[in-house]
Amino acid sequence: MRLFAAVLPPPAQLDELGRAIDRLAHLPEADRLRWTAPPGRHFTLAFMGEVDEALLPDLRARLGRAAHRTRPFPLRLHGGGHFGRAVLWTGAAGDLDELRLLAERADAAARRAGVAMEQHRRYQAHLTVARSRANDVDLRPFVAALDSFEGTRWQVAELALVRSNLPGGGTPGAGPRYETVAAWLLGGPG
């Protein structure tokens, strides 16, 4: 299974972001971007890739403990940024230290459960909004348009383990389907 740990923004906050994204669709070259559908809008904390099912019981237990040790914290969607010419994203504001701590704990939980993780990097909170189809779109106008975006604050209260089901059959434009396979309350029982 392709898995990742994530924070999933509530529907109201995703709706706010959706309205901001709708305004971006009118910018030049917007049609050259592949826009992330609402079910794919999340803060990935630790991408695990393919995980052997035999590791799942230990992974679930360790992620549960990571959630238990992390207190709920405030967050909101905020502004925008880009990674080169490939990825347009919105960021986060609020208790970013606690978000980074949760990301580090999720990464450590996966490693200790035996998941082969990529090299550890400092976590940068971002929610992918769009990807350039050929990495040749100047994303700066889109970032500038997102610059003033300020979402409504919410209390992050849950860590989710999400399965990414890649599209099959070569359907043009089809993106992955996401399914939450487990979730734990922050500060709750492990």
Side-chain angles (χ1 to χ4, degrees):
M1 291 195 270
R2 282 177 60 86
L3 298 173
F4 60 90
V7 165
L8 308 174
Q13 281 70 13
L14 290 176
D15 288 346
E16 290 174 341
L17 177 60
R19 290 189 293 277
I21 291 171
D22 287 346
R23 291 189 291 275
L24 301 181
H26 304 293
L27 293 175
E29 298 193 291
D31 59 333
R32 298 182 60 210
L33 297 174
R34 189 176 67 242
W35 297 92
T36 304
R41 296 177 185 158
H42 52 259
F43 288 98
T44 299
L45 301 175
F47 180 75
M48 298 167 208
E50 291 294 330
V51 175
D52 188 309
E53 278 197 56
L55 300 177
L56 283 179
D58 192 31
L59 177 61
R60 286 174 185 246
R62 290 178 183 279
L63 286 171
R65 286 194 294 274
H68 176 70
R69 290 191 316 264
T70 308
R71 66 177 175 78
F73 57 93
L75 201 65
R76 64 185 163 83
L77 300 172
H78 167 77
H82 63 97
F83 297 130
R85 290 177 168 255
V87 176
L88 174 67
W89 49 263
T90 189
D95 195 340
L96 297 182
D97 288 338
E98 200 70 21
L99 181 63
R100 279 189 204 99
L101 180 61
L102 183 58
E104 288 171 11
R105 286 177 172 161
D107 183 91
R111 288 177 194 282
R112 289 184 183 122
V115 177
M117 301 289 287
E118 291 181 5
Q119 182 179 353
H120 184 70
R121 293 183 288 231
R122 180 166 166 77
Y123 179 73
Q124 169 150 6
H126 70 281
L127 183 152
T128 300
V129 170
R131 294 182 185 278
S132 172
R133 295 177 199 274
N135 296 342
D136 63 350
V137 175
D138 181 1
L139 297 174
R140 290 176 297 181
F142 297 92
V143 172
L146 278 174
D147 213 27
S148 63
F149 174 65
E150 295 289 340
T152 303
R153 187 178 81 139
W154 83 93
Q155 193 76 356
V156 175
E158 190 173 81
L159 169 64
L161 180 61
V162 180
R163 181 178 184 173
S164 173
N165 299 296
L166 297 176
T171 308
R177 290 181 341 275
Y178 300 101
E179 147 191 21
T180 301
V181 295
W184 301 269
L185 292 177
L186 300 186

